[in-house]
Amino acid sequence: MTVPKITLNNNVQIPQLGMGVFKMQDHKQFIQAFQWAIEIGYRHFDTAAIYGNEKWLGEAIKKAGIKREELFITSKLWPAEFDNPQKAYENSLKRLGLDYLDLYLIHWPAPDYEQAWQAMEQLYQDHAVRAIGVSNFMIKHLEKLQQQAQIMPAVDQVELHPYLQRPKLLAYLQDNDIAVEAWGPLGQGINGVFAEPILQNLAQKYHKSVAQVILRWHLQRHAIIFPKSIHQERLQQNFDIFDFELSTDDMNAISTLDKNQPNGSDPNDDEHLAQTKLRPVIN
Ligand code: NAD
């Protein structure tokens, strides 16, 4: 099974499903989960300098012996490193043991993201990276960026799940040809999302798990997803979402679950944004 690809605004193609590695903090588990993921068919991996595990991802990639061009690797610029994105990018590459990334994102719209974006544009113009984008940017951040940007982001990676659907942001991204990436696509498995009756009924109807129904809903909303798991069976489950389709009525039923309820930090919270600049990347 080959994962369908989405074409970004610069014609680079990204597999619509990948694996996220946030909070994978045990070395042995990391290497094992990556190996299972590769065997299952995953080729897209999402990390960040702040996750502290780029080195392990690099080690796992080397061990797997897959051709570099078959992989799609994303990492992110942490705000504490906005003063030298070029250096931060080189450090990420070094830790990953790679000579380019497929996608590099500004992790949060912390102060001075406009200058950081200029450096990201330079990396792209220098052909050091295949695509550049942003993460946790709301409409107001994108509008501000648009005023000065020469290149608009290829993607915006934001928290999205049935309890946080962000319809206005998604419409804005679509209108501006920016692909959407959903982080925490399973709502991180918290707040009772797996016990939600509407989702449980749909799981029964389609003979799938609730997780698979949620992931399929994202695919049909054209979001790029990279659910995280360290378990072989769940990695397999999260991959087996291309053999069924939710009806329009069932997509609409899931739309009714929106509570505009984030699990993670709020991109409008200036205090949080300021703090990201004070927390150093330790690797
Ligand atoms: P997620 O929604 O992918 O949830 C992961 C959790 O869901 C797992 O820990 C597990 O408990 C559970 N789970 C996974 N598969 C399951 C299954 N089949 N059945 C039942 N439970 C299952 O949350 P996440 O890891 O936070 O998000 C995914 C990825 O998004 C991260 O690994 C990271 O790459 C990225 N991310 C980005 C940001 C950002 O600020 N840009 C923030 C958080 C995460």
Side-chain angles (χ1 to χ4, degrees):
M1 165 72 215
T2 314
V3 171
K5 290 182 173 149
I6 284 196
T7 303
L8 302 178
N9 60 16
N10 67 347
N11 284 327
V12 163
Q13 292 202 312
I14 180 169
Q16 200 181 357
L17 172 71
M19 172 188 174
V21 300
F22 183 41
K23 289 195 180 157
M24 284 177 48
Q25 281 150 347
D26 180 275
H27 177 253
K28 209 170 145 203
Q29 273 181 353
F30 188 110
I31 303 293
Q32 176 65 81
F34 182 90
Q35 197 184 325
W36 283 328
I38 289 289
E39 283 164 14
I40 291 166
Y42 288 84
R43 291 295 180 270
H44 167 191
F45 298 89
D46 182 274
T47 188
I50 199 70
Y51 298 171
N53 57 21
E54 284 175 312
K55 262 191 197 153
W56 296 350
L57 181 56
E59 180 190 333
I61 290 171
K62 202 169 167 197
K63 205 167 163 206
I66 303 271
K67 276 195 208 138
R68 173 66 185 91
E69 58 272 26
E70 285 182 26
L71 295 170
F72 193 101
I73 309 293
T74 300
S75 192
K76 310 184 192 92
L77 170 68
W78 186 246
E81 305 196 311
F82 277 2
D83 54 345
N84 198 346
Q86 174 82 33
K87 185 87 199 134
Y89 183 71
E90 281 165 15
N91 285 339
S92 279
L93 288 184
K94 227 179 272 167
R95 289 189 291 263
L96 286 158
L98 300 177
D99 51 16
Y100 68 91
L101 286 183
D102 297 281
L103 181 61
Y104 195 45
L105 308 179
I106 291 189
H107 206 144
W108 284 92
D112 309 319
Y113 67 80
E114 300 89 338
Q115 288 94 307
W117 185 252
Q118 280 178 7
M120 300 281 286
E121 289 180 327
Q122 194 59 53
L123 282 171
Y124 180 73
Q125 275 154 354
D126 292 344
H127 304 287
V129 59
R130 295 180 69 219
I132 51 174
V134 293
S135 177
N136 299 302
F137 275 46
M138 300 293 102
I139 293 175
K140 65 176 183 185
H141 304 117
L142 292 163
E143 280 176 345
K144 209 161 160 207
L145 200 64
Q146 199 157 26
Q147 286 170 14
Q148 62 137 67
Q150 293 179 38
I151 302 165
M152 277 306 278
V155 314
D156 189 7
Q157 180 179 126
V158 294
E159 183 183 354
L160 284 175
H161 44 78
Y163 292 157
L164 179 65
Q165 303 193 11
R166 298 190 149 137
K168 273 194 201 139
L169 176 65
L170 260 61
Y172 179 89
L173 294 176
Q174 196 177 12
D175 287 349
N176 287 277
D177 202 10
I178 299 171
V180 61
E181 294 196 330
W183 71 252
L186 294 169
Q188 298 173 324
I190 61 174
N191 288 330
V193 69
F194 290 136
E196 181 66 49
I198 288 182
L199 296 173
Q200 288 208 335
N201 288 339
L202 291 176
Q204 263 192 357
K205 173 176 169 183
Y206 290 97
H207 306 289
K208 291 283 177 180
S209 70
V210 169
Q212 288 172 313
V213 168
I214 298 174
L215 296 175
R216 181 70 212 180
W217 168 78
H218 283 292
L219 292 184
Q220 290 180 219
R221 283 178 16 126
H222 310 293
I224 298 155
I225 49 175
F226 24 82
K228 174 233 154 185
S229 181
I230 50 165
H231 302 290
Q232 187 175 22
E233 186 220 326
R234 285 177 174 178
L235 285 166
Q236 182 69 57
Q237 218 189 80
N238 297 347
F239 198 83
D240 293 338
I241 53 173
F242 299 100
D243 57 354
F244 75 115
E245 192 171 337
L246 297 167
S247 70
T248 306
D249 283 352
D250 293 337
M251 289 293 290
N252 291 340
I254 301 177
S255 299
T256 66
L257 297 176
D258 193 7
K259 300 179 189 175
N260 197 24
Q261 182 187 81
N263 294 325
S265 304
D266 179 358
N268 295 304
D269 175 353
D270 290 338
E271 203 175 311
H272 166 70
L273 294 174
Q275 273 171 9
T276 59
K277 295 202 74 169
L278 303 174
R279 187 174 154 204
V281 168
I282 301 165
N283 269 288

Short mmCIF file of all heavy atoms in Angstrom, two decimals, residues 19-24 45-48 51 76 78 105-108 134-136 157-161 182-190 194 209-212 215 225-231 233-235 237-238 263, ligand 1:
data_model
loop_
_atom_site.label_atom_id
_atom_site.label_comp_id
_atom_site.label_asym_id
_atom_site.label_seq_id
_atom_site.Cartn_x
_atom_site.Cartn_y
_atom_site.Cartn_z
N MET A 19 4.24 9.40 10.52
CA MET A 19 4.30 9.06 11.95
C MET A 19 4.94 10.23 12.68
O MET A 19 5.97 10.75 12.25
CB MET A 19 5.18 7.81 12.10
CG MET A 19 5.50 7.43 13.53
SD MET A 19 6.72 6.10 13.47
CE MET A 19 7.10 5.93 15.18
N GLY A 20 4.32 10.65 13.78
CA GLY A 20 4.89 11.71 14.61
C GLY A 20 5.72 11.10 15.72
O GLY A 20 5.42 9.98 16.16
N VAL A 21 6.73 11.82 16.17
CA VAL A 21 7.62 11.23 17.19
C VAL A 21 7.72 12.09 18.45
O VAL A 21 8.65 11.92 19.23
CB VAL A 21 9.03 10.92 16.61
CG1 VAL A 21 8.93 9.95 15.44
CG2 VAL A 21 9.75 12.18 16.20
N PHE A 22 6.74 12.96 18.66
CA PHE A 22 6.72 13.79 19.87
C PHE A 22 6.57 12.90 21.10
O PHE A 22 5.77 11.97 21.10
CB PHE A 22 5.53 14.76 19.77
CG PHE A 22 5.38 15.73 20.90
CD1 PHE A 22 6.47 16.36 21.46
CD2 PHE A 22 4.11 16.04 21.39
CE1 PHE A 22 6.31 17.29 22.49
CE2 PHE A 22 3.94 16.96 22.42
CZ PHE A 22 5.04 17.58 22.98
N LYS A 23 7.34 13.20 22.13
CA LYS A 23 7.28 12.45 23.40
C LYS A 23 7.68 10.99 23.28
O LYS A 23 7.29 10.17 24.10
CB LYS A 23 5.88 12.56 24.03
CG LYS A 23 5.62 13.96 24.57
CD LYS A 23 4.44 14.00 25.49
CE LYS A 23 4.20 15.40 26.00
NZ LYS A 23 2.88 15.66 26.44
N MET A 24 8.43 10.64 22.26
CA MET A 24 9.00 9.28 22.22
C MET A 24 10.37 9.40 22.87
O MET A 24 11.34 9.80 22.23
CB MET A 24 9.07 8.78 20.77
CG MET A 24 7.68 8.37 20.32
SD MET A 24 7.49 7.82 18.62
CE MET A 24 8.80 6.67 18.40
N PHE A 45 7.98 11.18 8.32
CA PHE A 45 8.22 11.28 9.77
C PHE A 45 8.30 12.75 10.16
O PHE A 45 8.96 13.54 9.48
CB PHE A 45 9.51 10.52 10.14
CG PHE A 45 9.39 9.05 9.83
CD1 PHE A 45 9.76 8.55 8.58
CD2 PHE A 45 8.84 8.18 10.75
CE1 PHE A 45 9.60 7.21 8.27
CE2 PHE A 45 8.67 6.83 10.46
CZ PHE A 45 9.05 6.34 9.20
N ASP A 46 7.63 13.06 11.28
CA ASP A 46 7.55 14.45 11.75
C ASP A 46 8.23 14.58 13.10
O ASP A 46 7.83 13.96 14.08
CB ASP A 46 6.06 14.83 11.89
CG ASP A 46 5.89 16.28 12.33
OD1 ASP A 46 5.92 16.55 13.55
OD2 ASP A 46 5.76 17.15 11.45
N THR A 47 9.30 15.40 13.14
CA THR A 47 10.00 15.64 14.40
C THR A 47 10.19 17.15 14.58
O THR A 47 9.63 17.96 13.83
CB THR A 47 11.34 14.88 14.45
OG1 THR A 47 11.89 15.00 15.77
CG2 THR A 47 12.34 15.39 13.44
N ALA A 48 10.97 17.54 15.61
CA ALA A 48 11.27 18.95 15.86
C ALA A 48 12.52 18.99 16.73
O ALA A 48 12.76 18.07 17.51
CB ALA A 48 10.11 19.61 16.60
N TYR A 51 11.95 18.36 20.39
CA TYR A 51 11.57 17.02 20.87
C TYR A 51 12.78 16.28 21.46
O TYR A 51 12.62 15.30 22.18
CB TYR A 51 10.94 16.15 19.76
CG TYR A 51 9.66 16.69 19.16
CD1 TYR A 51 9.10 16.10 18.03
CD2 TYR A 51 8.99 17.78 19.72
CE1 TYR A 51 7.93 16.59 17.46
CE2 TYR A 51 7.83 18.28 19.15
CZ TYR A 51 7.31 17.68 18.02
OH TYR A 51 6.15 18.17 17.45
N LYS A 76 11.49 21.20 12.84
CA LYS A 76 10.94 22.54 13.13
C LYS A 76 11.95 23.42 13.85
O LYS A 76 12.72 22.94 14.68
CB LYS A 76 9.68 22.41 14.00
CG LYS A 76 8.68 21.40 13.45
CD LYS A 76 7.39 21.32 14.22
CE LYS A 76 6.59 20.10 13.78
NZ LYS A 76 6.84 18.88 14.56
N TRP A 78 12.80 26.03 16.52
CA TRP A 78 12.25 26.44 17.82
C TRP A 78 12.51 27.94 18.02
O TRP A 78 13.58 28.44 17.68
CB TRP A 78 12.91 25.60 18.92
CG TRP A 78 12.31 25.85 20.28
CD1 TRP A 78 12.92 26.41 21.35
CD2 TRP A 78 10.98 25.54 20.70
NE1 TRP A 78 12.05 26.48 22.41
CE2 TRP A 78 10.84 25.95 22.04
CE3 TRP A 78 9.86 24.96 20.06
CZ2 TRP A 78 9.65 25.81 22.77
CZ3 TRP A 78 8.68 24.82 20.78
CH2 TRP A 78 8.59 25.23 22.12
N LEU A 105 9.71 23.85 9.41
CA LEU A 105 8.62 24.72 9.86
C LEU A 105 9.06 25.64 10.98
O LEU A 105 9.85 25.23 11.85
CB LEU A 105 7.46 23.85 10.41
CG LEU A 105 6.92 22.73 9.54
CD1 LEU A 105 5.80 21.99 10.29
CD2 LEU A 105 6.38 23.26 8.23
N ILE A 106 8.50 26.84 11.02
CA ILE A 106 8.59 27.67 12.23
C ILE A 106 7.62 27.06 13.23
O ILE A 106 6.43 26.93 12.94
CB ILE A 106 8.21 29.14 11.93
CG1 ILE A 106 9.29 29.77 11.05
CG2 ILE A 106 8.02 29.91 13.24
CD1 ILE A 106 9.13 31.28 10.88
N HIS A 107 8.13 26.67 14.41
CA HIS A 107 7.33 25.85 15.32
C HIS A 107 6.17 26.62 15.96
O HIS A 107 5.08 26.08 16.12
CB HIS A 107 8.25 25.28 16.41
CG HIS A 107 7.75 24.00 17.02
ND1 HIS A 107 8.61 23.00 17.41
CD2 HIS A 107 6.51 23.57 17.31
CE1 HIS A 107 7.88 22.01 17.92
NE2 HIS A 107 6.61 22.32 17.87
N TRP A 108 6.41 27.87 16.37
CA TRP A 108 5.36 28.69 17.00
C TRP A 108 5.51 30.14 16.52
O TRP A 108 6.64 30.59 16.29
CB TRP A 108 5.49 28.67 18.54
CG TRP A 108 4.99 27.40 19.15
CD1 TRP A 108 5.73 26.28 19.43
CD2 TRP A 108 3.65 27.08 19.55
NE1 TRP A 108 4.94 25.30 19.98
CE2 TRP A 108 3.65 25.77 20.07
CE3 TRP A 108 2.43 27.79 19.52
CZ2 TRP A 108 2.50 25.14 20.54
CZ3 TRP A 108 1.28 27.15 20.01
CH2 TRP A 108 1.32 25.85 20.51
N VAL A 134 4.92 26.72 8.34
CA VAL A 134 4.76 27.24 9.70
C VAL A 134 3.93 26.25 10.51
O VAL A 134 3.31 25.33 9.96
CB VAL A 134 4.10 28.63 9.70
CG1 VAL A 134 5.01 29.66 9.06
CG2 VAL A 134 2.73 28.60 9.01
N SER A 135 3.94 26.47 11.82
CA SER A 135 3.14 25.64 12.70
C SER A 135 2.51 26.52 13.77
O SER A 135 3.15 27.46 14.25
CB SER A 135 4.04 24.58 13.35
OG SER A 135 3.31 23.81 14.26
N ASN A 136 1.29 26.20 14.12
CA ASN A 136 0.54 26.94 15.15
C ASN A 136 0.28 28.39 14.76
O ASN A 136 0.13 29.26 15.62
CB ASN A 136 1.27 26.86 16.49
CG ASN A 136 1.40 25.42 16.97
OD1 ASN A 136 0.40 24.74 17.13
ND2 ASN A 136 2.63 24.94 17.16
N GLN A 157 0.95 23.68 10.25
CA GLN A 157 0.70 22.50 11.11
C GLN A 157 0.05 22.98 12.41
O GLN A 157 0.68 23.70 13.18
CB GLN A 157 2.03 21.79 11.41
CG GLN A 157 1.84 20.57 12.27
CD GLN A 157 3.12 19.80 12.58
OE1 GLN A 157 3.44 19.55 13.73
NE2 GLN A 157 3.87 19.42 11.56
N VAL A 158 -1.22 22.62 12.61
CA VAL A 158 -1.96 23.11 13.78
C VAL A 158 -2.68 21.96 14.47
O VAL A 158 -2.93 20.92 13.87
CB VAL A 158 -3.00 24.19 13.38
CG1 VAL A 158 -2.32 25.45 12.87
CG2 VAL A 158 -3.98 23.66 12.35
N GLU A 159 -3.00 22.19 15.74
CA GLU A 159 -3.76 21.18 16.48
C GLU A 159 -5.16 21.05 15.88
O GLU A 159 -5.87 22.05 15.74
CB GLU A 159 -3.84 21.56 17.96
CG GLU A 159 -4.56 20.50 18.78
CD GLU A 159 -4.75 20.87 20.25
OE1 GLU A 159 -4.22 21.90 20.70
OE2 GLU A 159 -5.44 20.09 20.93
N LEU A 160 -5.55 19.84 15.55
CA LEU A 160 -6.88 19.59 14.96
C LEU A 160 -7.35 18.19 15.34
O LEU A 160 -6.57 17.24 15.25
CB LEU A 160 -6.79 19.62 13.42
CG LEU A 160 -6.68 20.95 12.69
CD1 LEU A 160 -6.49 20.68 11.20
CD2 LEU A 160 -7.92 21.82 12.89
N HIS A 161 -8.57 18.09 15.77
CA HIS A 161 -9.18 16.79 16.08
C HIS A 161 -10.68 17.03 16.20
O HIS A 161 -11.13 18.19 16.08
CB HIS A 161 -8.57 16.20 17.36
CG HIS A 161 -8.39 17.18 18.49
ND1 HIS A 161 -9.43 17.58 19.29
CD2 HIS A 161 -7.30 17.87 18.91
CE1 HIS A 161 -8.99 18.45 20.18
NE2 HIS A 161 -7.69 18.67 19.96
N ALA A 182 -2.45 18.30 10.55
CA ALA A 182 -3.16 18.20 11.83
C ALA A 182 -2.25 17.58 12.87
O ALA A 182 -1.91 16.40 12.77
CB ALA A 182 -4.40 17.34 11.67
N TRP A 183 -1.83 18.37 13.86
CA TRP A 183 -1.11 17.71 14.97
C TRP A 183 -2.09 17.29 16.04
O TRP A 183 -3.19 17.84 16.13
CB TRP A 183 0.07 18.50 15.47
CG TRP A 183 -0.07 19.80 16.25
CD1 TRP A 183 0.22 21.05 15.79
CD2 TRP A 183 -0.42 19.98 17.65
NE1 TRP A 183 0.05 21.98 16.78
CE2 TRP A 183 -0.35 21.35 17.95
CE3 TRP A 183 -0.80 19.11 18.67
CZ2 TRP A 183 -0.63 21.88 19.21
CZ3 TRP A 183 -1.09 19.62 19.94
CH2 TRP A 183 -1.00 21.00 20.19
N GLY A 184 -1.69 16.26 16.83
CA GLY A 184 -2.63 15.71 17.82
C GLY A 184 -3.89 15.24 17.14
O GLY A 184 -5.00 15.48 17.64
N PRO A 185 -3.78 14.54 16.00
CA PRO A 185 -4.99 14.22 15.20
C PRO A 185 -5.99 13.37 15.97
O PRO A 185 -7.18 13.41 15.68
CB PRO A 185 -4.44 13.47 13.99
CG PRO A 185 -3.13 12.90 14.44
CD PRO A 185 -2.57 13.92 15.39
N LEU A 186 -5.48 12.58 16.93
CA LEU A 186 -6.38 11.73 17.74
C LEU A 186 -6.78 12.44 19.03
O LEU A 186 -7.25 11.81 19.97
CB LEU A 186 -5.67 10.41 18.06
CG LEU A 186 -5.39 9.52 16.85
CD1 LEU A 186 -4.47 8.37 17.22
CD2 LEU A 186 -6.69 9.00 16.24
N GLY A 187 -6.56 13.75 19.06
CA GLY A 187 -6.85 14.48 20.29
C GLY A 187 -5.98 13.95 21.43
O GLY A 187 -6.36 14.02 22.60
N GLN A 188 -4.85 13.37 21.05
CA GLN A 188 -3.88 12.78 21.99
C GLN A 188 -4.54 11.71 22.86
O GLN A 188 -4.00 11.35 23.91
CB GLN A 188 -3.19 13.89 22.82
CG GLN A 188 -2.42 14.83 21.88
CD GLN A 188 -1.84 16.04 22.54
OE1 GLN A 188 -2.44 16.61 23.45
NE2 GLN A 188 -0.66 16.46 22.09
N GLY A 189 -5.67 11.21 22.41
CA GLY A 189 -6.34 10.11 23.13
C GLY A 189 -6.93 10.53 24.47
O GLY A 189 -7.29 9.67 25.28
N ILE A 190 -7.05 11.85 24.70
CA ILE A 190 -7.55 12.28 26.02
C ILE A 190 -8.94 12.93 25.90
O ILE A 190 -9.49 13.02 24.80
CB ILE A 190 -6.54 13.22 26.74
CG1 ILE A 190 -6.30 14.50 25.92
CG2 ILE A 190 -5.23 12.49 27.01
CD1 ILE A 190 -5.43 15.53 26.66
N PHE A 194 -12.16 8.85 22.56
CA PHE A 194 -12.37 7.47 22.08
C PHE A 194 -13.70 6.88 22.57
O PHE A 194 -14.16 5.88 22.04
CB PHE A 194 -11.20 6.56 22.47
CG PHE A 194 -9.92 6.86 21.73
CD1 PHE A 194 -8.71 6.91 22.40
CD2 PHE A 194 -9.92 7.09 20.37
CE1 PHE A 194 -7.52 7.20 21.72
CE2 PHE A 194 -8.75 7.38 19.67
CZ PHE A 194 -7.56 7.44 20.35
N SER A 209 -11.76 0.89 14.10
CA SER A 209 -11.66 1.42 15.47
C SER A 209 -12.01 2.90 15.45
O SER A 209 -12.04 3.54 14.38
CB SER A 209 -10.23 1.23 16.01
OG SER A 209 -9.36 2.10 15.31
N VAL A 210 -12.26 3.47 16.64
CA VAL A 210 -12.56 4.91 16.71
C VAL A 210 -11.36 5.69 16.16
O VAL A 210 -11.54 6.67 15.41
CB VAL A 210 -12.89 5.32 18.17
CG1 VAL A 210 -12.94 6.84 18.29
CG2 VAL A 210 -14.21 4.72 18.60
N ALA A 211 -10.15 5.26 16.50
CA ALA A 211 -8.96 5.96 16.00
C ALA A 211 -8.97 6.00 14.46
O ALA A 211 -8.69 7.04 13.85
CB ALA A 211 -7.69 5.28 16.51
N GLN A 212 -9.32 4.87 13.85
CA GLN A 212 -9.32 4.82 12.38
C GLN A 212 -10.40 5.73 11.79
O GLN A 212 -10.18 6.37 10.76
CB GLN A 212 -9.54 3.37 11.91
CG GLN A 212 -8.31 2.50 12.15
CD GLN A 212 -8.57 1.04 11.88
OE1 GLN A 212 -9.58 0.49 12.34
NE2 GLN A 212 -7.69 0.40 11.14
N LEU A 215 -9.04 9.29 12.01
CA LEU A 215 -7.96 9.54 11.03
C LEU A 215 -8.53 9.64 9.62
O LEU A 215 -8.11 10.48 8.82
CB LEU A 215 -6.88 8.46 11.13
CG LEU A 215 -6.13 8.41 12.48
CD1 LEU A 215 -5.16 7.23 12.52
CD2 LEU A 215 -5.38 9.72 12.75
N ILE A 225 -1.66 14.00 8.12
CA ILE A 225 -1.65 13.54 9.52
C ILE A 225 -0.44 12.68 9.82
O ILE A 225 0.09 12.00 8.93
CB ILE A 225 -2.94 12.75 9.86
CG1 ILE A 225 -3.22 11.68 8.80
CG2 ILE A 225 -4.13 13.69 10.03
CD1 ILE A 225 -4.40 10.78 9.14
N PHE A 226 -0.02 12.69 11.09
CA PHE A 226 1.10 11.82 11.52
C PHE A 226 0.87 11.43 12.97
O PHE A 226 1.54 11.91 13.88
CB PHE A 226 2.46 12.52 11.32
CG PHE A 226 2.37 14.01 11.32
CD1 PHE A 226 2.34 14.72 12.50
CD2 PHE A 226 2.24 14.71 10.12
CE1 PHE A 226 2.19 16.08 12.50
CE2 PHE A 226 2.07 16.08 10.11
CZ PHE A 226 2.06 16.77 11.31
N PRO A 227 -0.15 10.55 13.18
CA PRO A 227 -0.44 10.11 14.54
C PRO A 227 0.78 9.43 15.14
O PRO A 227 1.59 8.86 14.41
CB PRO A 227 -1.59 9.10 14.35
CG PRO A 227 -1.50 8.67 12.92
CD PRO A 227 -0.96 9.83 12.17
N LYS A 228 0.88 9.53 16.44
CA LYS A 228 2.03 8.94 17.14
C LYS A 228 1.61 7.68 17.87
O LYS A 228 0.58 7.66 18.54
CB LYS A 228 2.59 9.97 18.12
CG LYS A 228 3.68 9.43 19.00
CD LYS A 228 3.38 9.67 20.45
CE LYS A 228 4.06 8.67 21.33
NZ LYS A 228 3.66 8.84 22.74
N SER A 229 2.38 6.62 17.71
CA SER A 229 2.23 5.44 18.55
C SER A 229 3.56 4.71 18.60
O SER A 229 4.35 4.78 17.67
CB SER A 229 1.14 4.51 18.02
OG SER A 229 1.05 3.41 18.90
N ILE A 230 3.78 4.00 19.71
CA ILE A 230 5.00 3.17 19.79
C ILE A 230 4.62 1.69 19.73
O ILE A 230 5.48 0.83 19.83
CB ILE A 230 5.78 3.44 21.11
CG1 ILE A 230 4.83 3.36 22.32
CG2 ILE A 230 6.50 4.77 21.07
CD1 ILE A 230 5.54 3.24 23.65
N HIS A 231 3.31 1.43 19.52
CA HIS A 231 2.85 0.04 19.51
C HIS A 231 2.65 -0.45 18.07
O HIS A 231 1.98 0.22 17.28
CB HIS A 231 1.54 -0.10 20.29
CG HIS A 231 1.67 0.36 21.71
ND1 HIS A 231 2.40 -0.33 22.65
CD2 HIS A 231 1.18 1.45 22.34
CE1 HIS A 231 2.36 0.31 23.81
NE2 HIS A 231 1.63 1.40 23.65
N GLU A 233 0.77 -2.76 16.80
CA GLU A 233 -0.62 -2.97 16.37
C GLU A 233 -1.30 -1.63 16.05
O GLU A 233 -2.04 -1.50 15.08
CB GLU A 233 -1.35 -3.70 17.51
CG GLU A 233 -2.75 -4.12 17.18
CD GLU A 233 -3.67 -3.90 18.38
OE1 GLU A 233 -3.21 -4.07 19.53
OE2 GLU A 233 -4.83 -3.52 18.16
N ARG A 234 -1.02 -0.60 16.87
CA ARG A 234 -1.63 0.71 16.61
C ARG A 234 -1.02 1.39 15.40
O ARG A 234 -1.73 2.07 14.63
CB ARG A 234 -1.47 1.60 17.84
CG ARG A 234 -2.42 1.23 18.95
CD ARG A 234 -2.18 2.09 20.16
NE ARG A 234 -3.18 1.84 21.18
CZ ARG A 234 -3.18 2.45 22.36
NH1 ARG A 234 -2.22 3.32 22.67
NH2 ARG A 234 -4.12 2.18 23.24
N LEU A 235 0.27 1.20 15.21
CA LEU A 235 0.91 1.76 14.00
C LEU A 235 0.24 1.16 12.76
O LEU A 235 -0.03 1.87 11.78
CB LEU A 235 2.41 1.46 14.00
CG LEU A 235 3.26 2.29 14.95
CD1 LEU A 235 4.65 1.68 15.13
CD2 LEU A 235 3.40 3.73 14.44
N GLN A 237 -2.80 -0.20 12.64
CA GLN A 237 -4.19 0.29 12.60
C GLN A 237 -4.26 1.69 11.99
O GLN A 237 -5.09 1.97 11.14
CB GLN A 237 -4.67 0.37 14.05
CG GLN A 237 -6.07 -0.02 14.27
CD GLN A 237 -6.45 0.32 15.71
OE1 GLN A 237 -6.75 1.47 16.04
NE2 GLN A 237 -6.43 -0.68 16.57
N ASN A 238 -3.36 2.54 12.43
CA ASN A 238 -3.38 3.93 11.96
C ASN A 238 -3.03 4.03 10.47
O ASN A 238 -3.29 5.06 9.85
CB ASN A 238 -2.41 4.78 12.80
CG ASN A 238 -2.82 4.86 14.26
OD1 ASN A 238 -3.93 4.48 14.61
ND2 ASN A 238 -1.93 5.34 15.12
N ASN A 263 -6.12 20.91 23.34
CA ASN A 263 -5.39 20.20 24.41
C ASN A 263 -4.07 20.90 24.68
O ASN A 263 -3.57 20.90 25.79
CB ASN A 263 -5.07 18.76 24.00
CG ASN A 263 -6.32 17.93 23.85
OD1 ASN A 263 -7.28 18.11 24.57
ND2 ASN A 263 -6.31 17.01 22.89
P1 NAD B 1 -1.92 12.07 18.72
O1 NAD B 1 -3.25 12.68 18.55
O2 NAD B 1 -1.23 11.46 17.56
O3 NAD B 1 -2.11 11.02 19.90
C1 NAD B 1 -1.11 10.14 20.27
C2 NAD B 1 -1.65 9.23 21.37
O4 NAD B 1 -2.86 8.59 20.94
C3 NAD B 1 -0.68 8.11 21.68
O5 NAD B 1 0.22 8.46 22.67
C4 NAD B 1 -1.60 6.98 22.09
O6 NAD B 1 -1.86 7.12 23.47
C5 NAD B 1 -2.85 7.24 21.33
N1 NAD B 1 -3.01 6.38 20.12
C6 NAD B 1 -2.29 6.41 18.96
N2 NAD B 1 -2.79 5.53 18.08
C7 NAD B 1 -3.85 4.92 18.69
C8 NAD B 1 -4.76 3.93 18.30
N3 NAD B 1 -4.72 3.38 17.08
N4 NAD B 1 -5.72 3.55 19.19
C9 NAD B 1 -5.79 4.10 20.42
N5 NAD B 1 -4.94 5.06 20.85
C10 NAD B 1 -3.98 5.47 19.99
O7 NAD B 1 -0.98 13.15 19.46
P2 NAD B 1 0.46 13.74 19.26
O8 NAD B 1 1.52 12.73 19.36
O9 NAD B 1 0.53 14.88 20.18
O10 NAD B 1 0.43 14.32 17.78
C11 NAD B 1 1.00 13.65 16.66
C12 NAD B 1 2.23 14.32 16.17
O11 NAD B 1 1.98 15.70 15.90
C13 NAD B 1 3.38 14.38 17.20
O12 NAD B 1 4.02 13.16 17.39
C14 NAD B 1 4.23 15.46 16.58
O13 NAD B 1 4.98 14.95 15.50
C15 NAD B 1 3.18 16.45 16.09
N6 NAD B 1 2.93 17.54 17.07
C16 NAD B 1 3.22 18.83 16.70
C17 NAD B 1 3.00 19.88 17.57
C18 NAD B 1 3.31 21.28 17.12
O14 NAD B 1 3.29 22.21 17.96
N7 NAD B 1 3.61 21.50 15.88
C19 NAD B 1 2.49 19.64 18.86
C20 NAD B 1 2.20 18.33 19.22
C21 NAD B 1 2.40 17.30 18.32
#
